[in-house]
Amino acid sequence: MIELLSPVGDFDCLKAAVQNGADSVYFGGSLFNARYNAHNFDADELKQAIQYAKLRNVKVDFTLNTLIKNNEFADAVELANYVYSLGVDAIIVQDLGLARYLIKNFPDLPIHASTQMTIHNLHGVKELEELGFKRAVLSRELSLDEIQYICKNTNIEIETFIHGALCISYSGQCLFSSSIGARSGNRGKCAQPCRLPYKLFSTNNQKQKLNQNKSDTNKNNINCNNNYNNSNNNNNYNNNNNSNNNSNDICLDSGYLLSPRDLCGLNYIPQLINAGVSCLKIEGRMKSPEYVATVTKIYRKYIDLAYSQKDYIIDQNDIDELMQVFNRGGFSSANFESTPNRNYVFKEKPNNIGIYIGNVSKLNKEKGLVRLTLKNNVQIGDKISFEKEEHKYTISELMSNNSNLREANSGDTVVIGRMKGNLHLGDKVYKLTDAVKSKKIDEFIQKENKKIPLSAHIIVKKGVPLSLEVTSCDKENGNYFSMSAKSVIDILPIDAITNPISEDRIKEQLCKTTNSQFEFKYIKVDLDDNTYVPKISYINQLRRECLEKLEEQAIQRFSRDKKNIELSLINSDISVTGSNNINNENAKICLLLNELDLDYDYSKISNVDNIYVPLKYFKNKQYEEIIETLARNNNLYIYLPTVLKDNFRNFYFNDIDTIIKKYKIKGLICSNLSCINYFSNLKGKLDLVANYTFNVFNNYTINELAEIGIKRVVLSPELDESNLKNITNNSIIPTEVLVYGKLVLMNIGYCLLGSSNLCYPRCDMKCKENSKFYLKDRLNMNFRLIPDSIQTISTLYNSKINSISYSNIKPNFVRISILDENIDEINEIIKCVKNDKPFTGSNFTKGNFNKTV
């Protein structure tokens, strides 16, 4: 049976999940988990939480799913060892180095690949399988067909998200929060810039080229001394981060353009079961117990219905209940369908809007009175919101015909009092929480509704000590399988003078298990006639002792001995004592040309060692001459995209051998574990380089990548100078660092131009126009947006250019990433980078180089 996995942010959420039918729960400790701002659990609370779930036959997946620095590695392993000893069923991991360490040292503990590992195709899953993972949590961008294809062709378990918030970026590939505020999503501290408003602009590329050509005539337009701040710099793009738009720029859209609706997957449960999915995951570790309880209960209902012989029909009341606890402008089918989803993003509001209950028909701002005709029931204590007001209100005054009400029904015209703020006639009003339902949910989760069935045999015979034996019902597997406990009290029943004890009374006492997770299904009573038991509390004592013994046995059964790991041997604080054998003083220059321009003479580029060209250009005949020029003068590498969908792979990879031979390709810049699996036949023939999209944060990850054939690693741009230096000086293979260029903030499985997750025939194809696109935020910063009609992937770049010094880090290679710079500018940048002279000024940033994420 498919597993239902529920989110837990605190103990009340744990109760909510367990008591409403979750098969498993996932939560983290106070360190190293991707929901840093949730309550989470300290060491003592972890023990209580794990035991609470496991004693009720609910599995626990522990989240250790952030990137780990060298000096944190020992602490992460120690935490893993601790929860291992407490009996967790699996650990969810993002960091490859940590995952492989746990796989090797905890062979009896399943390791699950977090969705942060960006596993989005079969080759990625196959690589995880070879590496020893037991489960892959797939990227949320996959369709049902893609999920089924993966399930049918792998031997490890597949987990997919079924309900809750969606990230607009592929998980694990978002550097937005980290880049603009040093709050890394990969470190569990995402500030959610995707939930902020933006404007989408297009700018005419011909106009830009004209300005670009003019700027080319200005001598030394870019150099290490003026750092783009020279007053003669007329380059339009380099100056577009100021508050003024180009007069020819066109605003195409505005609103919360990066804020997806939440996923509701009730319709897809039967198909996902048939596809072979092992686990359905509910998002929401930051959500309330009411949310966890409601979503878990409803998905439990429909999973059970899918396995029954009954018709699979979804009750609209259940959709309404899900909407009530949390929704962003309604729900979405996300990416499950193979047809375009044009309902993916809700541009009007980024947070919960609840249930629509009407429009303001009359307003007295001075007195704070709002009148509306209800489209849904309300009562005192409900929380409501208005469409133009961020504040949430609690209904404390509800009136109709000058009479105070406790509640009102759909169709009633009411006046709600004590409402002041940014309110207007006609504003939509939403109910965010239902006071009555919230109270019922809270009462429900405080009770024991998840029961372990037991059978009992009690002996109440004259002259024989009272005894009770309790046995688990074997048909209910779990931690209590084939388990029994016995208790004897040295009390001898005697002949009754009056009030002999009855069998019914004994059963009644034994069945008083309301506050425990147990219930008696079968009770056998051996009772002599006319027998007297001095105190009925002795029956209670027998029951209590037996149940305590069962709990103790269960804890012993799922607990483990800690692994004998010498933490001092873990390289938790690598000392920088000098360069390793492969480091050198003269780093080689690598030039990434994100976009090729047919008007540029690339033969003029000089003083670089390696050039990276995106794969998409190698099958476009327009660029054949440019690529031949680049291949003739340089070591040429194919730069693979971060996301490799089947249509892209099939179109380009079929000719990859021909491309490699024709252009004498030196190597491949691999974006994902799937690349390593797909190009395993090229190991040793070409340089396989692990791009920064692998999120390399420690030397353990480097060691594992080297073991599977990687020849060079590009370190994460989220690392600060100290950690970069620490890693490069202890790397067993060459390292590369991005020292110049606009950082990719997001890889988005959605086209902002066509407002769809897939291309569609009637799209006006703005991506084919001779224009450039960008998002503008509230601070008037411009973020370059490049659409891709091949895979419907949008790439969002930072508004500023990263530029850092590398001489103190001593990497073997440094990367220059080019986006809009012309040939003269490129050569000047190469010159500055060779001399390790970083750029400064309003258009530049050091990123996280001097910050800690």
Side-chain angles (χ1 to χ4, degrees):
M1 189 171 189
I2 203 167
E3 180 183 323
L4 177 61
L5 177 61
S6 292
V8 167
D10 59 29
F11 215 96
D12 282 341
C13 289
L14 176 61
K15 291 179 180 178
V18 170
Q19 298 302 330
N20 282 280
D23 297 305
S24 52
V25 293
Y26 65 103
F27 55 79
S30 55
L31 296 172
F32 312 127
N33 89 85
R35 290 295 179 268
Y36 180 85
N37 292 322
H39 172 78
N40 299 309
F41 300 97
D42 62 23
D44 290 337
E45 291 170 334
L46 277 175
K47 182 176 182 180
Q48 296 173 33
I50 292 168
Q51 289 186 354
Y52 177 88
K54 298 283 289 180
L55 287 171
R56 288 156 182 80
N57 279 336
V58 174
K59 295 178 180 179
V60 174
D61 293 351
F62 185 72
T63 57
L64 236 174
N65 56 343
T66 61
L67 301 178
I68 309 296
K69 299 176 183 177
N70 277 333
N71 63 356
E72 299 169 337
F73 209 90
D75 290 337
V77 171
E78 185 175 22
L79 178 56
N81 204 4
Y82 176 66
V83 296
Y84 168 82
S85 71
L86 295 176
V88 296
D89 296 275
I91 295 183
I92 305 171
V93 184
Q94 175 189 7
D95 191 285
L96 179 63
L98 178 63
R100 286 289 292 156
Y101 185 94
L102 298 179
I103 289 168
K104 292 173 181 177
N105 290 278
F106 298 79
D108 54 334
L109 176 63
I111 302 301
H112 296 175
S114 168
T115 190
Q116 292 288 114
M117 292 190 81
T118 325
I119 302 301
H120 59 277
N121 56 35
L122 177 61
H123 290 286
V125 175
K126 296 296 285 184
E127 188 64 27
L128 291 179
E129 186 177 334
E130 292 182 16
L131 291 171
F133 287 84
K134 298 299 183 184
R135 177 182 293 182
V137 186
L138 298 181
S139 293
R140 282 168 270 202
E141 286 77 6
L142 300 188
S143 69
L144 279 170
D145 290 341
E146 290 170 318
I147 293 169
Q148 182 176 37
Y149 176 71
I150 289 171
C151 289
K152 300 302 181 186
N153 291 281
T154 184
N155 295 315
I156 65 173
E157 297 175 355
I158 297 300
E159 178 176 306
T160 62
F161 282 87
I162 192 64
H163 189 95
L166 297 170
C167 292
I168 192 71
S169 174
Y170 275 79
S171 294
Q173 300 305 321
C174 181
L175 302 179
F176 206 163
S177 178
S178 173
S179 295
I180 66 174
R183 292 179 57 183
S184 169
N186 284 318
R187 298 276 287 169
K189 299 179 182 180
C190 180
Q192 293 193 310
C194 54
R195 303 297 181 185
L196 296 175
Y198 296 91
K199 291 182 179 179
L200 174 62
F201 285 91
S202 70
T203 183
N204 187 275
N205 202 26
Q206 290 300 326
K207 172 77 172 178
Q208 193 171 66
K209 275 184 177 292
L210 178 62
N211 288 334
Q212 181 74 63
N213 291 333
K214 288 180 179 179
S215 72
D216 290 347
T217 65
N218 294 309
K219 189 177 180 180
N220 297 326
N221 185 39
I222 294 180
N223 59 61
C224 309
N225 298 317
N226 65 31
N227 294 322
Y228 283 23
N229 289 325
N230 189 300
S231 61
N232 292 324
N233 183 0
N234 295 320
N235 185 291
N236 205 37
Y237 185 76
N238 290 333
N239 288 305
N240 74 358
N241 287 327
N242 58 29
S243 60
N244 298 316
N245 290 338
N246 186 298
S247 60
N248 291 325
D249 289 358
I250 301 171
C251 184
L252 303 176
D253 205 352
S254 64
Y256 297 93
L257 303 180
L258 298 176
S259 182
R261 288 179 166 89
D262 283 10
L263 163 67
C264 178
L266 287 179
N267 285 318
Y268 304 98
I269 290 174
Q271 294 100 307
L272 289 166
I273 291 172
N274 292 333
V277 171
S278 300
C279 179
L280 299 178
K281 185 173 195 170
I282 299 168
E283 182 277 337
R285 281 196 286 151
M286 299 289 290
K287 300 284 184 22
S288 67
E290 180 182 359
Y291 169 90
V292 175
T294 302
V295 179
T296 301
K297 176 190 69 175
I298 290 174
Y299 277 85
R300 174 79 277 149
K301 170 184 172 180
Y302 286 97
I303 288 173
D304 293 343
L305 178 61
Y307 280 101
S308 72
Q309 300 301 314
K310 300 177 182 177
D311 292 336
Y312 191 84
I313 300 172
I314 296 171
D315 188 338
Q316 183 59 42
N317 290 327
D318 290 326
I319 299 293
D320 292 343
E321 201 167 342
L322 290 172
M323 292 273 286
Q324 177 65 83
V325 291
F326 202 95
N327 81 91
R328 290 183 172 95
F331 291 127
S332 165
S333 61
N335 299 284
F336 282 142
E337 299 287 352
S338 295
T339 53
N341 180 359
R342 303 196 64 194
N343 197 41
Y344 198 84
V345 164
F346 183 61
K347 295 184 288 187
E348 296 178 25
K349 202 172 181 180
N351 46 19
N352 181 26
I353 69 168
I355 295 289
Y356 169 69
I357 60 171
N359 290 68
V360 176
S361 59
K362 188 174 182 180
L363 175 64
N364 187 326
K365 286 195 172 185
E366 185 177 340
K367 293 184 178 181
L369 300 177
V370 171
R371 185 173 73 183
L372 68 157
T373 300
L374 295 172
K375 303 297 183 183
N376 211 299
N377 301 342
V378 297
Q379 56 264 317
I380 297 294
D382 286 355
K383 283 185 169 58
I384 63 172
S385 71
F386 297 82
E387 66 172 293
K388 296 183 179 69
E389 174 60 81
E390 292 297 321
H391 182 71
K392 299 174 184 176
Y393 301 84
T394 300
I395 297 178
S396 59
E397 191 174 56
L398 185 63
M399 297 165 284
S400 179
N401 297 322
N402 296 320
S403 298
N404 289 324
L405 306 174
R406 289 290 306 167
E407 60 183 12
N409 299 318
S410 177
D412 294 345
T413 298
V414 299
V415 174
I416 303 174
R418 300 169 189 168
M419 300 283 118
K420 291 191 175 184
N422 186 26
L423 313 181
H424 308 83
L425 280 175
D427 280 357
K428 294 177 182 178
V429 188
Y430 300 92
K431 181 169 69 172
L432 300 177
T433 62
D434 186 300
V436 172
K437 288 181 180 178
S438 296
K439 184 178 179 181
K440 287 181 179 178
I441 289 171
D442 186 62
E443 290 173 349
F444 183 83
I445 67 177
Q446 299 306 323
K447 296 177 181 178
E448 281 290 352
N449 308 292
K450 181 107 177 177
K451 294 292 187 178
I452 309 299
L454 303 173
S455 61
H457 181 199
I458 186 168
I459 298 174
V460 185
K461 288 182 173 292
K462 299 168 188 175
V464 178
L466 286 171
S467 68
L468 172 67
E469 185 172 14
V470 175
T471 306
S472 65
C473 296
D474 283 353
K475 66 178 182 179
E476 298 288 342
N477 290 325
N479 294 312
Y480 298 93
F481 181 76
S482 296
M483 190 180 288
S484 64
K486 186 172 183 178
S487 182
V488 179
I489 300 178
D490 196 18
I491 297 296
L492 306 179
I494 59 176
D495 283 321
I497 299 174
T498 58
N499 296 323
I501 196 167
S502 67
E503 181 175 334
D504 287 344
R505 183 65 193 283
I506 292 172
K507 288 182 177 180
E508 179 185 348
Q509 289 303 120
L510 287 179
C511 288
K512 290 183 177 181
T513 60
T514 304
N515 295 323
S516 80
Q517 69 271 27
F518 302 105
E519 66 177 355
F520 287 102
K521 286 288 189 181
Y522 313 101
I523 300 176
K524 179 182 179 181
V525 181
D526 282 348
L527 174 65
D528 285 346
D529 293 336
N530 199 43
T531 300
Y532 175 73
V533 176
K535 293 181 180 179
I536 197 66
S537 62
Y538 290 135
I539 306 296
N540 297 339
Q541 181 181 342
L542 285 172
R543 181 194 69 238
R544 184 173 61 253
E545 290 178 356
C546 279
L547 297 186
E548 286 175 353
K549 289 178 180 178
L550 277 183
E551 277 199 0
E552 291 171 1
Q553 289 179 52
I555 291 172
Q556 290 176 2
R557 178 173 283 185
F558 60 69
S559 298
R560 310 178 181 96
D561 292 331
K562 276 189 174 183
K563 294 290 185 181
N564 186 23
I565 294 175
E566 185 58 59
L567 294 176
S568 62
L569 299 179
I570 294 178
N571 211 3
S572 61
D573 189 12
I574 302 174
S575 298
V576 181
T577 56
S579 299
N580 62 29
N581 292 331
I582 60 171
N583 271 335
N584 59 69
E585 296 299 323
N586 298 312
K588 293 183 178 180
I589 304 293
C590 303
L591 186 70
L592 167 59
L593 301 172
N594 287 286
E595 291 196 309
L596 297 182
D597 193 310
L598 292 170
D599 295 331
Y600 286 177
D601 183 357
Y602 288 94
S603 66
K604 293 182 178 180
I605 292 177
S606 59
N607 295 314
V608 297
D609 298 286
N610 302 315
I611 288 187
Y612 306 159
V613 174
L615 176 58
K616 64 182 180 179
Y617 290 109
F618 284 87
K619 284 194 69 173
N620 189 328
K621 290 192 175 181
Q622 292 185 81
Y623 297 94
E624 188 172 356
E625 185 177 342
I626 290 176
I627 295 176
E628 287 176 347
T629 298
L630 293 171
R632 187 165 53 249
N633 299 330
N634 307 275
N635 290 324
L636 191 61
Y637 287 70
I638 298 175
Y639 193 86
L640 298 172
T642 302
V643 176
L644 288 167
K645 291 185 177 181
D646 286 346
N647 64 328
F648 184 94
R649 185 198 65 210
N650 294 340
F651 181 69
Y652 285 97
F653 286 13
N654 287 340
D655 298 320
I656 198 73
D657 291 334
T658 301
I659 292 171
I660 290 171
K661 185 177 180 180
K662 178 178 179 179
Y663 296 108
K664 298 180 181 179
I665 297 298
K666 174 74 172 177
L668 304 176
I669 309 301
C670 300
S671 59
N672 190 269
L673 282 172
S674 61
C675 298
I676 298 174
N677 184 269
Y678 193 90
F679 294 112
S680 59
N681 63 314
L682 297 178
K683 293 176 183 178
K685 300 177 183 177
L686 295 180
D687 289 346
L688 298 187
V689 180
N691 206 1
Y692 70 90
T693 50
F694 277 78
N695 293 316
V696 174
F697 244 65
N698 57 66
N699 286 95
Y700 282 92
T701 297
I702 292 177
N703 295 346
E704 295 302 328
L705 290 172
E707 191 172 304
I708 58 177
I710 290 295
K711 296 301 182 185
R712 179 163 84 247
V713 294
V714 186
L715 302 184
S716 169
E718 294 193 275
L719 290 166
D720 58 62
E721 181 180 16
S722 175
N723 280 285
L724 286 169
K725 183 177 181 179
N726 184 274
I727 294 174
T728 58
N729 282 350
N730 292 278
S731 178
I732 64 172
I733 56 176
T735 56
E736 182 176 323
V737 173
L738 174 66
V739 298
Y740 175 95
K742 287 196 171 184
L743 194 63
V744 174
L745 300 184
M746 285 183 169
N747 290 275
I748 305 170
Y750 174 79
C751 179
L752 281 82
L753 306 180
S755 299
S756 175
N757 69 328
L758 294 172
C759 293
Y760 51 95
R762 299 183 67 181
C763 177
D764 57 10
M765 301 289 284
K766 290 186 178 67
C767 61
K768 300 296 185 182
E769 297 174 0
N770 194 22
S771 299
K772 292 188 178 181
F773 306 94
Y774 62 92
L775 292 180
K776 180 181 287 294
D777 70 4
R778 299 174 302 170
L779 301 177
N780 287 323
M781 303 302 291
N782 296 332
F783 300 88
R784 179 89 134 79
L785 181 75
I786 298 181
D788 171 20
S789 60
I790 301 173
Q791 301 196 93
T792 321
I793 299 292
S794 300
T795 305
L796 187 68
Y797 288 84
N798 198 5
S799 59
K800 295 190 176 185
I801 300 170
N802 275 42
S803 184
I804 63 172
S805 173
Y806 61 88
S807 57
N808 193 41
I809 303 171
K810 291 184 170 57
N812 308 98
F813 296 82
V814 292
R815 176 185 296 183
I816 298 168
S817 181
I818 296 300
L819 188 59
D820 290 286
E821 296 86 347
N822 60 44
I823 299 298
D824 288 342
E825 291 170 339
I826 292 172
N827 282 325
E828 186 63 33
I829 293 164
I830 294 169
K831 175 184 173 182
C832 294
V833 168
K834 269 190 167 297
N835 292 317
D836 193 27
K837 293 182 178 180
F839 294 89
T840 59
S842 61
N843 285 332
F844 296 90
T845 176
K846 291 184 179 180
N848 292 317
F849 194 64
N850 296 327
K851 301 174 185 176
T852 300
V853 297

